[in-house]
Amino acid sequence: MDPDQPSFRQIRTNKGGQKLLEGGYQYLTHRRVGKNSHWQCEQRGECKARVHTKGMEIVKRTNEHLHAPDVQATACCEIKASIKRKARDTQDSSHQIIGEGMLTASEGTAAKLPKLDSLKRTIQRQRASVLSAPVQPTALAELVLPAEYQRDVYKRQLRHIRYFTTSTYPSSGVAPSQL
């Protein structure tokens, strides 16, 4: 294993938190202080194992796991996270995204993945969350236009004013400020 590469991987949970995957075990965030994170085993009620990280390095382990590692469940989490990330970042078809995710999956991992229809719905939900419409403003002060639209509106106003002043009153001698 490359010493520069971390021996674990962090993924996003369904509720926006972080999950650490390492050696067939899954850990959930227990506490964060700056760059230091304390993680506890996903099977909290049964297992007391914990890991402490500093940045992307494991610095301390406490307690042993009271259960066997589940490499297939860990691989399943990685595949689902990959599918969600690709759904948000690309416009590939659902079948293409799922197919790419399944390329590296073993038979056991593929068996633990959700059904095809569920994965498609997951992709649709991820894309809907990215493309969702902003909240309706209740006052004009809350209305925020992105910068690219602000410039476009301004340019259209200038074109309209130029067209209006040059085509309607070309020789009237009326200054645009008097209109």
Side-chain angles (χ1 to χ4, degrees):
M1 178 174 277
D2 186 7
D4 295 335
Q5 295 293 324
S7 61
F8 61 90
R9 180 150 184 240
Q10 288 185 24
I11 61 171
R12 226 171 94 191
T13 63
N14 290 337
K15 295 183 179 180
Q18 292 289 318
K19 185 183 274 191
L20 182 123
L21 308 175
E22 191 258 335
Y25 296 108
Q26 300 177 36
Y27 300 89
L28 299 172
T29 306
H30 177 66
R31 184 180 334 162
R32 285 183 186 261
V33 180
K35 291 185 178 183
N36 298 336
S37 298
H38 298 216
W39 306 82
Q40 63 186 6
C41 182
E42 185 179 53
Q43 298 182 10
R44 290 180 276 217
E46 305 166 18
C47 184
K48 301 290 184 192
R50 295 183 186 264
V51 172
H52 298 207
T53 59
K54 185 172 189 173
M56 291 301 288
E57 180 182 353
I58 294 177
V59 293
K60 183 179 179 184
R61 294 176 190 273
T62 57
N63 301 325
E64 292 292 323
H65 286 276
L66 302 175
H67 55 92
D70 192 349
V71 178
Q72 292 173 342
T74 304
C76 186
C77 283
E78 288 186 36
I79 290 170
K80 287 192 290 187
S82 169
I83 287 172
K84 289 177 182 180
R85 187 178 55 254
K86 286 179 185 176
R88 284 190 309 269
D89 298 343
T90 69
Q91 289 300 315
D92 295 343
S93 70
S94 299
H95 283 286
Q96 188 175 1
I97 292 172
I98 294 168
E100 288 174 7
M102 298 292 277
L103 281 177
T104 59
S106 66
E107 286 183 26
T109 302
K112 284 195 172 200
L113 281 170
K115 294 180 181 178
L116 182 63
D117 290 339
S118 296
L119 290 173
K120 285 182 184 179
R121 276 195 306 275
T122 298
I123 291 171
Q124 291 169 353
R125 282 190 209 106
Q126 290 297 314
R127 288 185 172 160
S129 69
V130 171
L131 301 174
S132 64
V135 177
Q136 292 286 338
T138 57
L140 188 57
E142 294 177 5
L143 182 64
V144 178
L145 290 175
E148 61 268 13
Y149 294 118
Q150 291 175 1
R151 281 186 252 125
D152 190 36
V153 168
Y154 180 70
K155 287 177 185 176
R156 285 184 187 167
Q157 287 175 347
L158 286 179
R159 273 187 261 138
H160 179 68
I161 290 171
R162 283 190 204 125
Y163 173 77
F164 181 74
T165 55
T166 57
S167 65
T168 310
Y169 303 105
S171 59
S172 66
V174 178
S177 62
Q178 296 173 346
L179 293 176

